Amino acid sequence: KPTVFMEKETVKTPVPEPQPAPPAAKPRPPPPPPPAQPKNPETAVSSNTTRNAPPAAPKTAPVTGLISSKTVESPPASGYASAPTSTREDSSNVQQQLKRSNRELKKVQAETRQLRKHVMQLNSQLEIAEAEMAAQRQELQRAAERMEKDRARNNEEREDLLDEHEEELEQLKEHYEKLLAEQKVHYED
């Protein structure tokens, strides 16, 4: 609250408002009985009168001095939360913080559920891709084995063909040599 100073010589200082006890406060035990007094009739009467008297009201002392008529306000908050002035404000602040944290918790839980769902989808996609890769690997291995067998068979066939060609060439040479020899003999005779 802003404090207002006036040009009067006496100013009453503001009396703080009584604050109720916090809601979570434990009940206090009753105060212990007063110490036993001697049984003197004069003191007994005076102690009874003081015991039954109502409590005295708080006193305010007048402030004297030079005071200007300017209104002085409290400085603006510096970014730090000021202490609440009553338990009602405390409880409302706590409730607001609780609501805020519950909202944040729900958002985080929703994000967590989405991330788990996404991770599960990625895991299933990964498993499918791994299964496809394993199938392709087996297929490639079978193809490589077939190619190796084909290559070995082709090499054998080629070598067999080369051997056959060499034999045929030798036979043809022998045959031509015989024919040439016969032709020579035939022309010489």
Side-chain angles (χ1 to χ4, degrees):
K1 294 181 180 178
T3 306
V4 177
F5 295 104
M6 303 177 83
E7 286 191 21
K8 294 182 181 179
E9 287 191 18
T10 60
V11 175
K12 292 184 179 181
T13 56
V15 178
E17 296 177 14
Q19 295 183 0
K26 296 180 183 177
R28 293 185 180 174
Q37 302 256 341
K39 297 275 180 165
N40 190 348
E42 292 176 7
T43 58
V45 173
S46 65
S47 66
N48 283 340
T49 57
T50 57
R51 235 183 257 161
N52 295 333
K59 296 181 181 179
T60 58
V63 178
T64 59
L66 296 175
I67 300 172
S68 67
S69 64
K70 294 181 182 177
T71 302
V72 179
E73 294 182 7
S74 60
S78 61
Y80 295 104
S82 61
T85 58
S86 71
T87 56
R88 185 176 294 160
E89 289 177 3
D90 285 343
S91 63
S92 66
N93 286 343
V94 169
Q95 287 175 351
Q96 288 175 355
Q97 288 175 351
L98 182 63
K99 287 178 183 178
R100 238 181 280 127
S101 62
N102 282 341
R103 275 187 251 123
E104 290 175 7
L105 178 65
K106 286 179 182 178
K107 285 180 185 177
V108 168
Q109 286 174 342
E111 288 176 8
T112 304
R113 282 193 297 271
Q114 287 177 345
L115 288 174
R116 282 186 186 149
K117 192 176 189 180
H118 191 62
V119 166
M120 289 174 60
Q121 289 174 346
L122 290 175
N123 281 339
S124 64
Q125 290 175 357
L126 179 64
E127 289 173 1
I128 291 170
E130 286 176 346
E132 288 177 2
M133 287 175 59
Q136 288 177 353
R137 185 181 308 117
Q138 289 175 352
E139 191 175 323
L140 287 172
Q141 285 176 346
R142 280 187 256 134
E145 290 171 1
R146 276 195 308 268
M147 287 175 66
E148 190 63 34
K149 287 178 184 177
D150 289 346
R151 186 180 301 137
R153 189 174 352 110
N154 285 338
N155 283 340
E156 288 176 10
E157 288 177 1
R158 191 172 126 242
E159 289 175 5
D160 290 345
L161 282 174
L162 287 174
D163 290 343
E164 286 178 15
H165 284 286
E166 285 179 13
E167 288 177 10
E168 284 179 15
L169 280 174
E170 286 179 20
Q171 287 175 1
L172 282 174
K173 280 182 184 179
E174 288 176 6
H175 180 67
Y176 281 123
E177 286 176 4
K178 282 183 186 177
L179 282 176
L180 278 173
E182 285 178 10
Q183 290 287 330
K184 279 184 184 179
V185 171
H186 183 355
Y187 282 113
E188 289 178 1
D189 288 334

